[in-house]
Amino acid sequence: ELTGAGAMPGARAEQYAFGGFFETLLGGLTVLSINTLIYSVRHSPPEPAPPDPFGQLAWLRDRLATASRSGRPVWIVGHIPPGIETFAYTELWQPQYLRAYLDIVQD
């Protein structure tokens, strides 16, 4: 268990357990760890695919806005990056999630 091992405070562990994403403040830096597996072209969500699995995109927009108002730099980290893989030059994310993500980070 994450909280019992002291790896994550309770509220952060609850959010991570729900959707696999969380926020950490490291000095003057905000680190947003997002669950990118749910956006992968290899993931098969129920049909139709939910527009915002686990509410993560709304959460990301909110956390970026909060960091911006506070003047905090942000790193966004995840397992599968948005973009094209370098061997076969194929998309890594499903197009609707890539568009939504880019709309958020370019805002």
Side-chain angles (χ1 to χ4, degrees):
E1 181 176 286
L2 294 171
T3 55
M8 243 182 222
R12 191 177 309 144
E14 286 177 29
Q15 187 168 38
Y16 177 78
F18 170 69
F21 57 94
F22 63 94
E23 174 182 32
T24 299
L25 304 178
L26 297 172
L29 176 68
T30 297
V31 178
L32 303 176
S33 179
I34 61 173
N35 177 0
T36 57
L37 295 175
I38 56 178
Y39 304 142
S40 171
V41 294
R42 299 200 184 274
H43 176 65
S44 299
E47 292 294 330
D52 186 6
F54 303 108
Q56 177 175 246
L57 294 169
W59 173 86
L60 179 62
R61 183 178 294 280
D62 175 70
R63 301 321 308 147
L64 288 172
T66 299
S68 178
R69 285 191 301 274
S70 301
R72 294 180 65 89
V74 175
W75 284 1
I76 301 171
V77 298
H79 180 70
I80 301 171
I84 297 174
E85 65 94 9
T86 58
F87 295 105
Y89 301 105
T90 58
E91 294 289 339
L92 293 170
W93 285 20
Q94 295 179 35
Q96 71 271 24
Y97 298 133
L98 180 59
R99 280 190 303 276
Y101 175 82
L102 291 176
D103 285 346
I104 293 167
V105 298
Q106 293 174 350
D107 191 13

